[in-house]
Amino acid sequence: MTVRFAILGAGRIGQVHARAVSSIPSAQLVAVAEPFAEAAQRVADKYGCEIREIDAIATSDDIDAVVICTPTDTHADLIEKFAKAGKAVFCEKPVDLNVERVKQALATVEAEGATLMVGFNRRFDPDFMALKAAIDSGKIGDVEMVTITSRDPGAPPASYIKVSGGIFRDMTIHDFDVARWLLGEEVTTVMARGSVLTDPAIGELGDFDSVNVILTTASGKQCTITNSRRATYGYDQRMEVLGSLGMAHAQNTHENTVEVAVEDGYHKAPLLNFFMDRYTMAYANEIAAFVDSIENGTPTPTTGLDGLKALELAEAALESAKTGKAVTLG
């Protein structure tokens, strides 16, 4: 079986997914939809696909699945459109910035019996997958505490921050998903703090650039998340899990593994400095997992419900940061 794809949106992340689809032997990139002609042509030329309008893709008999890489405010509508058109849907996070709108879209997916996978790529990073495998094997015993560090080299432009939904919905949402994945239990309490430490303009836009979150489950398991929009030393991505029998941790990824020892100390290559470099394999792995789900008729590893739960945690964190109080989830 060859799964025939269309990419909706040929921007930065659309190009990443176009490359991932084209690298899978059992997948074929048939079409791309993109309002900017130059970007669409670049993908079409590179991967040998056609340029089509979104409506034409929805009615195309030679398209089995779509990858939604369009602006966030279009995601829910496109999910519903292609679920009704009988296509399998992969959608970049978030489904929407509004919890109720997400629920509506997921209800449509369920009613249509459609396949939906939400793009939480960090679950598919090889190091983080190995970390999860160590937990699942029982090597470190029962999970008790999780620590997630996620710091960007620099903030996105103001034009992006204005429409991003804020740091909790845009950046920390990845960590909320990973926290649920590693804890193995749903979060019941959220405590968050936010500050503006890197750029006053971010505060003027009503957002934070530096946040810490503590998540607690009903059994008392805890996860601490620390985020910053500024890490001068590179893209900082680390995780640690403390269990009843030991600890497992995943360290940062450097440009290479060479370490030089000389008189003034030990020196190693800098961290990878961009998320698309750091998570190249993760993006490829998640699309491969999506194809596998379609081919075998099995549930996708990250679902619309995962997208909803992560957004609910983001909403709770924002409320906590604004009020200074812990938020209890139903």
Side-chain angles (χ1 to χ4, degrees):
M1 175 185 179
T2 297
V3 181
R4 300 164 297 178
F5 275 87
I7 300 287
L8 312 183
R12 190 168 60 182
I13 196 63
Q15 293 175 50
V16 169
H17 287 312
R19 181 171 66 243
V21 169
S22 298
S23 71
I24 300 171
S26 59
Q28 178 188 2
L29 183 56
V30 174
V32 60
E34 166 61 52
F36 294 99
E38 184 177 340
Q41 195 63 55
R42 184 162 51 244
V43 170
D45 290 344
K46 188 170 184 177
Y47 299 107
C49 64
E50 296 181 3
I51 300 172
R52 299 182 189 174
E53 297 294 326
I54 284 178
D55 286 345
I57 289 172
T59 58
S60 294
D61 292 334
D62 61 347
I63 301 293
D64 305 305
V66 296
V67 180
I68 299 174
C69 308
T70 53
T72 295
D73 60 0
T74 66
H75 287 182
D77 289 345
L78 289 173
I79 287 171
E80 292 177 336
K81 183 183 188 72
F82 284 94
K84 292 175 180 177
K87 314 297 186 187
V89 179
F90 179 99
C91 184
E92 270 300 321
K93 66 82 191 166
V95 173
D96 195 80
L97 296 176
N98 180 277
V99 167
E100 292 307 315
R101 183 67 185 96
V102 174
K103 291 179 179 179
Q104 291 172 3
L106 298 189
T108 298
V109 170
E110 184 176 4
E112 297 294 331
T115 296
L116 171 64
M117 180 168 171
V118 175
F120 285 118
N121 63 288
R122 294 184 191 181
R123 292 200 196 193
F124 301 91
D125 174 77
D127 288 343
F128 299 159
M129 291 172 72
L131 179 70
K132 183 65 162 64
I135 295 170
D136 293 344
S137 72
K139 288 181 180 178
I140 65 169
D142 295 329
V143 173
E144 295 175 347
M145 301 186 76
V146 175
T147 303
I148 300 173
T149 299
S150 180
R151 299 170 182 152
D152 285 352
S159 58
Y160 178 82
I161 290 176
K162 287 179 182 178
V163 298
S164 70
I167 190 170
F168 292 117
R169 299 187 189 96
D170 173 55
M171 181 178 176
T172 323
I173 195 168
H174 280 290
D175 303 312
F176 291 138
D177 179 67
V178 168
R180 294 180 58 245
W181 184 50
L182 297 178
L183 287 167
E185 295 181 6
E186 294 298 343
V187 173
T188 55
T189 306
V190 179
M191 173 65 82
R193 291 292 183 269
S195 301
V196 180
L197 301 175
T198 74
D199 186 351
I202 293 175
E204 292 169 5
L205 293 170
D207 199 7
F208 304 109
D209 58 30
S210 309
V211 302
N212 282 287
V213 184
I214 298 177
L215 309 175
T216 308
T217 71
S219 69
K221 295 180 182 181
Q222 297 177 26
C223 176
T224 301
I225 298 169
T226 179
N227 289 163
S228 174
R229 291 290 197 185
R230 178 176 63 197
T232 60
Y233 50 89
Y235 190 38
D236 190 356
Q237 301 285 286
R238 290 171 282 141
M239 297 181 191
E240 178 184 287
V241 181
L242 178 65
S244 57
L245 299 178
M247 181 269 289
H249 61 97
Q251 296 291 352
N252 275 312
T253 302
H254 293 254
E255 292 179 358
N256 61 63
T257 60
V258 175
E259 187 172 51
V260 178
V262 290
E263 185 178 3
D264 65 346
Y266 286 76
H267 305 271
K268 61 174 64 176
L271 301 181
L272 293 174
N273 201 52
F274 196 41
F275 73 91
M276 288 198 294
D277 297 325
R278 170 63 180 83
Y279 288 118
T280 298
M281 283 301 301
Y283 286 118
N285 288 341
E286 70 176 351
I287 292 297
F290 181 53
V291 171
D292 185 69
S293 293
I294 296 170
E295 290 178 328
N296 295 299
T298 54
T300 57
T302 51
T303 66
L305 181 61
D306 291 320
L308 175 62
K309 292 291 187 180
L311 182 62
E312 288 176 337
L313 291 175
E315 294 286 341
L318 180 59
E319 180 182 347
S320 177
K322 287 182 175 180
T323 63
K325 299 178 180 179
V327 175
T328 300
L329 301 175

